[in-house]
Amino acid sequence: MSKNDVTRRGVLKTGAIAGAGVALPTIFTASSAAAYVNEPTGGTVTLGFNVPQTGPYADEGADELRAYELAVEHLNGGGDGGMLNTFSSKALQGNGIMGKKVQFVTGDTQTKSDAARASAKSMIEKDGAIMITGGSSSGVAVAVQGLCQEAGVIFMAGLTHSNDTTGKDKKANGFRHFFNAYMSGAALAPVLAARYGKDRKAYHLTADYTWGWTQEESIKAATEALGWETINAVKTPLAATDFSSYIAPVLNSGADVLILNHYGGNMVNSLTNAVQFGLREKMVNGKQFEIVVPLYSRLMAKGAGANVKGILGSTNWHWSLQDEGSKAFVKSFGTKYGFPPSQAAHTCYCQAVLYADAVQRAGSFNPCAVEEALTGGDSSLPGISSAANKGFLFDGLGNGQTLYRGADHQCFKDVLVVRGKENPTSEFDLLEVVEVTPAAQVWYEPDHPMFAGGELGTCNPGA
């Protein structure tokens, strides 16, 4: 298909005639179809991979970059095709995106919002990136998402778990495949109550930024609804490496559960400090003291070593899943890199593929066309009765049936509750899935109080 063919084809977008009260289709014409930032004019298209290559989340960033490189290889027809073979949409043919070879540039977010914005801005303005993706911090995600909205390019968020990313800070040009803090609470709390009882007293240590705040809020709400009491909640700096001074007060607080709303290197260090203080051996209120890590990852488990044994948490995906998509991805990633992928790698690979597929189905790189293809459908997840249950429904990417919801650009899918293995068989076999929580249990309405306060707005093509 030639560029002119694509332009003439147009893309349908719903618009409203003022005063008419009815929505009619607005068609991107030949002249307006070209009016967007960094329209690819040659035989290649450039994507921008913005990941933490330094800082507390650098391990996640390294795995994200591996996944993006694998996705580009598959999109361009290399390797074994990975999840392109299992993806329910068959638009992608392994010949790039709309026949254009995919190339990429990279940036280092440093897990700092200002650095991440500067990196993304450079990739857009100097390198011609038409889409930005990546990151392992919600503070970074919110900052870069805002920049991409202003610049008129698509942002496919990487690992971002704060409710705010698709809540009060949601943007029409931004999209999240990863689950969020509310979903972690909804999936994890019933398991905690069943295993540890409903008469528990919790002490929270919380990373002091948008993710930590909403993770704490979500877990507190979900556990308190089942009978738990929150004794205290203390914020900790993201840059902290020694949490001893924060762990010590827990000992005499009367709490019998420590909830670590930490991620990456923060979680590794705080959990290590907690174990060093002997918390796991303590009996409090006649109960065994427990530690909970609401957001888990294999990379964190590896860093924390034996300290994770028996500790419960939640995760977006795990390499041990046996669906066809997961097996295909684990095989491709393992063949290329020699070890299984993390959940960060998985969500980033999915985001690259989902963007490419949306462009292919839309027949255009125009951000407004991509938005319509990615979330503008009328498909719905089965078993959920809600007017908001509509968007792009897909399968075959490792999480079962998944809905990219149109109302807020959040994916809804099954959530995993996991536990640190007591007897791991390798350095990668550290977590076991104890429950697959169905999407219906973690569903919420777009106007839920934890997600209120922002408007999605309209897509910006940047011209």
Side-chain angles (χ1 to χ4, degrees), residues 75-241:
L75 291 171
N76 287 332
D80 61 8
M83 287 196 287
L84 296 190
N85 300 317
T86 60
F87 187 21
S88 55
S89 174
K90 301 303 178 185
L92 296 168
Q93 301 299 313
N95 62 341
I97 306 175
M98 287 180 56
K100 296 181 183 293
K101 184 176 181 179
V102 181
Q103 58 187 22
F104 64 90
V105 291
T106 67
D108 181 8
T109 68
Q110 303 174 39
T111 315
K112 297 176 182 176
S113 297
D114 289 346
R117 281 178 64 97
S119 176
K121 189 171 187 288
S122 176
M123 288 190 280
I124 294 167
E125 294 181 352
K126 296 180 180 179
D127 301 310
I130 197 167
M131 182 271 277
I132 301 295
T133 181
S136 289
S137 156
S138 291
V140 162
V142 167
V144 176
Q145 181 167 262
L147 173 80
C148 289
Q149 180 70 33
E150 297 164 7
V153 301
I154 293 293
F155 176 60
M156 302 295 286
L159 196 156
T160 168
H161 194 242
S162 170
N163 294 336
D164 293 346
T165 308
T166 45
K168 71 179 183 64
D169 295 309
K170 59 183 173 286
K171 302 294 181 186
N173 283 42
F175 304 84
R176 171 162 59 180
H177 171 266
F178 204 67
F179 72 147
N180 58 43
Y182 174 90
M183 295 174 178
S184 283
L188 190 54
V191 177
L192 295 177
R195 290 174 180 257
Y196 301 152
K198 295 184 177 181
D199 182 22
R200 283 285 186 166
K201 300 181 187 299
Y203 193 113
H204 290 252
L205 291 182
T206 300
D208 193 12
Y209 75 107
T210 177
W211 168 67
W213 305 331
T214 66
Q215 181 63 84
E216 176 191 299
E217 177 187 32
S218 298
I219 291 291
K220 283 169 66 174
T223 54
E224 288 174 3
L226 295 175
W228 285 30
E229 177 186 351
T230 301
I231 295 294
N232 202 0
V234 178
K235 305 297 188 290
T236 62
L238 182 59
T241 56

Side-chain angles (χ1 to χ4, degrees), residues 13 28 149 152 154 172-173 366-369 371 456-462:
K13 189 78 169 116
F28 291 114
Q149 180 70 33
I154 293 293
N173 283 42
N366 188 314
C368 298
E371 181 199 18
L456 187 66
T458 57
C459 85
N460 175 23

